[in-house]
Amino acid sequence: MKKIFLIILFLIFLLNISACGINTTIISTYEVVFKIGNQETKIVLNEGESLSIKDERVPSLPIETGYEYYWNKDIKTINSSMTLTALKKGKTYTVTVDPNGGFMDETRFLVTYGEIPNIAIPTSTSKASDFAFYMLDGVEFDLNKEWNIDHDVTLKAFYKEGTDWSDIYE
């Protein structure tokens, strides 16, 4: 009899809870962490809520000469906790080479900001001269340094007097 009484009491308790309108729905939340360098921004989202890049809560990506920043993941749909990290890559620019009387198969090259450029050297059309250097805006240009120019350019080839070896082999 005690068991029946306890069961009836339990059922009455359950009926009272549902009749009182207590909401027993559990809403899941997600934490989204945005990392830019050493800085972190945390945003808590409710289940089904999403973010767009234009959302005022999303931190702006940095602006830096020669580089573009982007998030390592797509943030259109958030359905779990995640960390997004800002990554950067060098922008690409076009270098046109003026062989200045020399010969080259290609005269246009793509270079990436912050990287060592891979630009071919022209072949002199004169047997008595060799390629010496490129010039940019009247200054000798060093091809062994990281590219740090944030626009398209034209390099002009210059030559030095070389040895005419044709006399030796005739």
Side-chain angles (χ1 to χ4, degrees), residues 91-152:
K91 291 181 180 178
T92 302
Y93 300 99
T94 301
V95 174
T96 304
V97 172
D98 173 359
N100 194 19
F103 173 77
M104 298 180 79
D105 288 330
E106 295 289 329
T107 58
R108 289 185 165 226
F109 301 90
L110 294 179
V111 295
T112 302
Y113 196 92
E115 295 181 9
I116 304 291
N118 186 12
I119 299 173
I121 295 173
T123 303
S124 172
T125 54
S126 167
K127 292 181 182 178
S129 64
D130 298 316
F131 173 80
F133 54 86
Y134 282 118
M135 285 192 81
L136 175 64
D137 298 329
V139 178
E140 187 174 334
F141 188 81
D142 186 354
L143 290 176
N144 297 313
K145 291 184 178 177
E146 290 181 355
W147 191 262
N148 64 357
I149 300 169
D150 64 346
H151 56 277
D152 298 340

Side-chain angles (χ1 to χ4, degrees), residues 36-37 39 59-71 86-89 91 93 113 150:
I36 302 175
Q39 296 181 351
S60 298
L61 290 167
I63 297 172
E64 185 179 347
T65 300
Y67 293 98
E68 59 185 335
Y69 282 80
Y70 59 98
W71 296 113
L87 302 175
K88 77 176 182 177
K89 67 178 179 178
K91 291 181 180 178
Y93 300 99
Y113 196 92
D150 64 346

Side-chain angles (χ1 to χ4, degrees), residues 7-167:
I7 291 173
I8 293 172
L9 189 62
F10 181 70
L11 290 174
I12 293 171
F13 175 74
L14 288 178
L15 286 173
N16 281 334
I17 288 178
S18 62
C20 291
I22 296 175
N23 187 354
T24 57
T25 305
I26 297 173
I27 298 175
S28 296
T29 59
Y30 308 106
E31 183 177 82
V32 183
V33 179
F34 294 90
K35 287 185 176 184
I36 302 175
N38 295 328
Q39 296 181 351
E40 287 188 4
T41 301
K42 294 180 183 181
I43 299 174
V44 177
L45 299 172
N46 292 322
E47 184 175 13
E49 188 178 1
S50 63
L51 284 175
S52 74
I53 291 176
K54 296 177 182 177
D55 191 300
E56 64 186 26
R57 298 173 293 173
V58 175
S60 298
L61 290 167
I63 297 172
E64 185 179 347
T65 300
Y67 293 98
E68 59 185 335
Y69 282 80
Y70 59 98
W71 296 113
N72 66 326
K73 296 178 186 173
D74 183 12
I75 63 170
K76 290 180 183 170
T77 305
I78 305 290
N79 55 12
S80 63
S81 294
M82 67 172 59
T83 298
L84 291 108
T85 304
L87 302 175
K88 77 176 182 177
K89 67 178 179 178
K91 291 181 180 178
T92 302
Y93 300 99
T94 301
V95 174
T96 304
V97 172
D98 173 359
N100 194 19
F103 173 77
M104 298 180 79
D105 288 330
E106 295 289 329
T107 58
R108 289 185 165 226
F109 301 90
L110 294 179
V111 295
T112 302
Y113 196 92
E115 295 181 9
I116 304 291
N118 186 12
I119 299 173
I121 295 173
T123 303
S124 172
T125 54
S126 167
K127 292 181 182 178
S129 64
D130 298 316
F131 173 80
F133 54 86
Y134 282 118
M135 285 192 81
L136 175 64
D137 298 329
V139 178
E140 187 174 334
F141 188 81
D142 186 354
L143 290 176
N144 297 313
K145 291 184 178 177
E146 290 181 355
W147 191 262
N148 64 357
I149 300 169
D150 64 346
H151 56 277
D152 298 340
V153 298
T154 298
L155 297 177
K156 187 172 185 175
F158 284 85
Y159 304 88
K160 61 183 174 188
E161 205 173 295
T163 304
D164 185 358
W165 296 98
S166 61
D167 291 343

